[in-house]
Amino acid sequence: MTVLLEAHDVRRVYRLGGGRVLQAVAGVSLHVKEGESLALVGESGCGKSTLGRALIGLEPVDAGAVLFDGENLATLTSRRRHALRGRMQMVFQNVHAALNPRRTAGDSIAEPLRIHGIGRAAIPERVRVLLDLVGLPEQAAVRYPHEFSGGQRQRLNIARALALDPALVVADEPVSALDVSVQAQIVNLFRDLQARLGLACVFISHDLAVVRQMADRIAVMYLGAIVEEGEGMAVLAAPAHPYTRALIDAVPRPDRPLPPPLQGEVPSPLSPPPGCRFHPRCPHAIGRCREEAPILRDIGPGRKVACHFPLI
Amino acid sequence: MSEGGPWVRLARQVLRRRGAVAAFSALLLIVLASAAAPLYAAWVGVDPFASDVAGTTIRDGREVDLMQPNDNPLHLGLTPIGPDWRLGPYAMGADPQGRDVAARVLYGGRNSLLISAASALLCLAVATGLGLAAGYFGGWVDAVLSRLLDILWAVPVYLLAISLSIVTIGHALHLGIVTIASDNLLIPVAIIALVYIPYAARPLRARALALARAEFVLAARALGASHWRILTREILPNLLDTLMVLAPLLMALCLLAESSLSFLSLGVQAPAASWGTIIQDGEGLIYTRPMVAILPGLAIVATVLALNVLGDALRDVLDPKGGRR
């Protein structure tokens, strides 16, 4: 499979008042192959949403580069960028804010077609096909967002994202705002669409149960950096980074008591700790972890970890 | 989940409120009556713009002078004829120039309503442009526009309106090849619209700022929509709520400003009438012929009250912070 999306040492910095600097994304490199789904996992505030937006050019990068199909998003001509827009799309977390309340569902789904100059005559049929693709009836087109449930709205968001036949969809916590029973439906819809359309997908989530269902590969983020990366099942079965271990242990299971949770809070990204960013909360941290930042290194085929003392 | 588009829902919710329906009916009545001013004048047979201090009218079958000797012991000076409360000429009496007060109040309503509605619309149009630009683009655009609005808002509105009117009154404005006569109604319209721009622009900016960060705007950007397209098709339609709440409240403020300027002879110019000018006409007669000032005063109060009730009802229905969605 060819590589569709590559990020090389992407950094995103927010300059706040008073000379404070927030490193939301602190040097992330990753790649997504065609038709593959990569899960970005991490706690809220770890920079995964910012990274997700940067991956499709919705957020400028301060350093590094994002290459889509080999083209650097930062140096595209505006015409070329416009053309690429349709090939990489986003599905949002907040299903209530992701649709314009003043537009009918059909109008929202038709908007990408209009923006990209699809002939007026072809639009109604295309909207019908898209609604069908996400499992909504044709009559949904004339209704307004407030008339739909959360799950249906997320289906509409997906339909809009798929309108221009994208090769990549970045889904930012696409099910976390939904009821658990509805989450499974949307996850299944995603998997189904991925298989049918050959979509590549970056799936941003903090929910490992959802990630287990969705991801071919997993990248775990902590404080703006990737700490572990690898095949989905391999990472979940045998995590190499203590943080990944803690995330997995935090999921309640009926066959064992919950292990003690991680100590302390995520440090402020305004002043990340020296050395390994995870050391203040790591149960295994020793002197070296406090001084020397581990780099993300290969520890096996397709497996990387940023830890001096990986668990495997 | 109710059926129908946003407009149907809005109309249904507003119609459920008795106060709003009453206010809307009152407004409609005032507007229709003012619109019918020429019909009324022709029907009762008076000319509301011609001074007629030597004229006569029929009262109780007898011909009487419009200007009558004063009631004071010395019978010095003249007092216009008072109201007889019957449909017909001079039902509400005459003003100091022998003109029919009822007809003038109706004609005055045309000017007052026209100027206040036009200035409210002009103000909203400009404020929407400024609010959209400041809220959507943010950064230095917002900083510059917001500071300008702050400065404008720091000047007392009436002081600013009066100063501008004094400058423009009596001088025709020359804007390139266009000349605007000093009695053109556009002058008070523009002045009143200008002074209230910050009042309208601030809530519109706040709303545009919130909308600019909504995920559907981010989605439109991800789809490659241009700034213009996002402003006009994503954000502007969602400002309609705010605009509809602002419009009646703003028109009430504009009506008060127009009346004040006209009362000070700085708005509508004689012989044309507005409710403000008629109150001024009646100022000297307040003890002997109070209806000359009371009638336009009542018209102002009724209109402003109705506009405010309507605006509050719309706010209750539309404002998300009202929690009634």
Side-chain angles (χ1 to χ4, degrees):
Chain A
M1 277 191 290
T2 50
V3 170
L4 182 65
L5 180 81
E6 280 175 277
H8 291 297
D9 197 27
V10 167
R11 286 165 198 274
R12 179 69 179 137
V13 173
Y14 293 108
R15 281 173 212 292
L16 310 177
R20 291 175 305 162
V21 172
L22 189 152
Q23 275 225 331
V25 181
V28 166
S29 300
L30 54 79
H31 68 273
V32 182
K33 293 185 204 135
E34 276 177 13
E36 176 189 54
S37 72
L38 170 73
L40 275 179
V41 183
E43 287 164 292
S44 33
C46 72
K48 54 194 198 297
S49 289
T50 306
L51 176 62
R53 286 201 295 272
L55 289 180
I56 62 166
L58 270 184
E59 182 90 33
V61 298
D62 295 305
V66 177
L67 307 183
F68 183 86
D69 240 356
E71 291 181 273
N72 187 338
L73 295 186
T75 58
L76 292 174
T77 62
S78 58
R79 181 182 297 255
R80 187 73 193 125
R81 180 177 297 127
H82 188 75
L84 277 185
R85 282 286 185 220
R87 300 204 51 215
M88 40 188 188
Q89 275 303 305
M90 188 144 185
V91 172
F92 296 91
Q93 169 180 16
N94 187 345
V95 292
H96 301 283
L99 291 167
N100 188 336
R102 292 261 169 205
R103 286 177 185 274
T104 61
D107 191 24
S108 278
I109 298 174
E111 183 69 1
L113 305 172
R114 289 195 217 100
I115 291 172
H116 287 266
I118 310 271
R120 189 171 294 233
I123 287 180
E125 173 62 13
R126 181 82 183 124
V127 168
R128 205 185 56 73
V129 169
L130 286 164
L131 285 172
D132 186 54
L133 199 60
V134 297
L136 286 173
E138 198 176 333
Q139 302 90 293
V142 296
R143 294 199 282 156
Y144 284 87
H146 73 92
E147 299 175 60
F148 293 97
S149 69
Q152 289 172 320
R153 278 186 237 193
Q154 196 57 298
R155 287 173 191 268
L156 291 172
N157 288 331
I158 295 168
R160 175 178 57 192
L162 295 179
L164 296 166
D165 271 329
L168 171 76
V169 170
V170 172
D172 187 0
E173 301 268 13
V175 298
S176 63
L178 303 175
D179 290 342
V180 178
S181 57
V182 182
Q183 287 190 359
Q185 294 174 17
I186 298 294
V187 166
N188 286 338
L189 176 68
F190 255 106
R191 284 161 55 92
D192 179 44
L193 289 173
Q194 261 203 292
R196 277 163 71 185
L197 306 175
L199 273 179
C201 181
V202 175
F203 197 89
I204 298 170
S205 181
H206 65 274
D207 185 344
L208 288 177
V210 172
V211 168
R212 193 186 297 272
Q213 297 293 313
M214 279 299 299
D216 298 327
R217 283 192 304 126
I218 292 179
V220 181
M221 266 184 99
Y222 187 78
L223 271 185
I226 288 178
V227 296
E228 177 164 6
E229 193 188 319
E231 295 295 324
M233 284 309 148
V235 170
L236 292 174
H241 196 283
Y243 178 62
T244 317
R245 170 89 265 165
L247 282 182
I248 293 169
D249 286 347
V251 178
R253 283 202 336 235
D255 58 334
R256 58 149 171 75
L258 215 54
L262 273 183
Q263 296 302 307
E265 296 287 314
V266 184
S268 163
L270 287 170
S271 53
C276 174
R277 290 171 167 238
F278 187 60
H279 85 254
R281 301 172 76 190
C282 182
H284 313 292
I286 58 163
R288 184 179 169 200
C289 302
R290 288 181 251 284
E291 284 148 23
E292 187 190 336
I295 53 163
L296 192 65
R297 61 195 167 94
D298 287 315
I299 55 163
R303 192 72 187 270
K304 294 177 184 169
V305 68
C307 181
H308 296 307
F309 309 103
L311 302 174
I312 55 168
Chain B
M1 293 282 156
S2 59
E3 291 291 309
W7 296 114
V8 182
R9 275 190 299 152
L10 175 66
R12 210 180 283 143
Q13 281 178 304
V14 171
L15 286 178
R16 223 179 281 146
R17 282 151 197 279
R18 237 181 273 164
V21 173
F24 187 74
S25 312
L27 270 181
L28 201 64
L29 195 68
I30 292 168
V31 169
L32 288 178
S34 301
L39 293 178
Y40 176 81
W43 179 49
V44 299
V46 293
D47 180 349
F49 297 110
S51 181
D52 193 14
V53 286
T56 59
T57 186
I58 310 292
R59 280 277 161 97
D60 302 323
R62 289 184 301 123
E63 187 164 356
V64 292
D65 286 333
L66 284 177
M67 305 305 282
Q68 302 191 325
N70 264 344
D71 303 336
N72 64 43
L74 294 173
H75 297 283
L76 287 173
L78 294 169
T79 301
I81 194 169
D84 72 345
W85 309 106
R86 283 182 219 162
L87 270 182
Y90 302 97
M92 291 294 155
D95 74 0
Q97 297 200 46
R99 302 173 294 201
D100 186 306
V101 170
R104 276 184 76 76
V105 168
L106 292 182
Y107 267 101
R110 299 181 123 203
N111 278 331
S112 287
L113 293 172
L114 205 64
I115 292 174
S116 50
S119 44
L121 283 181
L122 179 63
C123 177
L124 282 180
V126 177
T128 302
L130 295 175
L132 272 177
Y136 177 72
F137 291 109
W140 65 267
V141 179
D142 184 26
V144 170
L145 291 179
S146 290
R147 290 302 83 72
L148 285 176
L149 292 173
D150 284 347
I151 291 169
L152 192 54
W153 200 227
V155 181
V157 265
Y158 278 70
L159 208 56
L160 182 60
I162 290 167
S163 316
L164 288 169
S165 303
I166 288 172
V167 172
T168 51
I169 220 82
H171 306 278
L173 275 182
H174 301 283
L175 307 165
I177 53 165
V178 186
T179 299
I180 299 173
S182 62
D183 60 351
N184 193 310
L185 294 185
L186 280 177
I187 292 177
V189 166
I191 289 172
I192 296 167
L194 175 76
V195 298
Y196 281 115
I197 283 175
Y199 173 87
R202 289 167 154 221
L204 288 167
R205 170 194 167 271
R207 189 91 184 93
L209 190 69
L211 287 166
R213 291 168 185 180
E215 291 189 333
F216 66 83
V217 170
L218 203 55
R221 275 177 56 209
L223 292 166
S226 61
H227 288 315
W228 177 251
R229 195 176 178 99
I230 290 174
L231 283 170
T232 55
R233 307 203 46 174
E234 305 290 345
I235 297 183
L236 186 58
N238 284 287
L239 286 181
L240 284 179
D241 294 6
T242 312
L243 285 170
M244 284 176 54
V245 173
L246 274 174
L249 300 175
L250 187 62
M251 183 172 163
L253 286 176
C254 289
L255 179 63
L256 290 172
E258 187 280 328
S259 303
S260 308
L261 288 180
S262 292
F263 177 79
L264 298 171
S265 306
L266 295 169
V268 171
Q269 297 299 302
S274 100
W275 289 334
T277 66
I278 302 171
I279 293 179
Q280 191 200 19
D281 292 339
E283 194 191 4
L285 299 168
I286 199 73
Y287 293 114
T288 50
R289 297 284 179 258
M291 285 315 287
V292 182
I294 287 177
L295 206 58
L298 278 177
I300 293 171
V301 170
T303 312
V304 169
L305 186 66
L307 286 167
N308 281 327
V309 169
L310 194 63
D312 284 345
L314 286 169
R315 187 198 301 267
D316 285 350
V317 172
L318 293 171
D319 191 351
K321 282 174 197 143
R324 269 182 208 274
R325 261 181 193 225

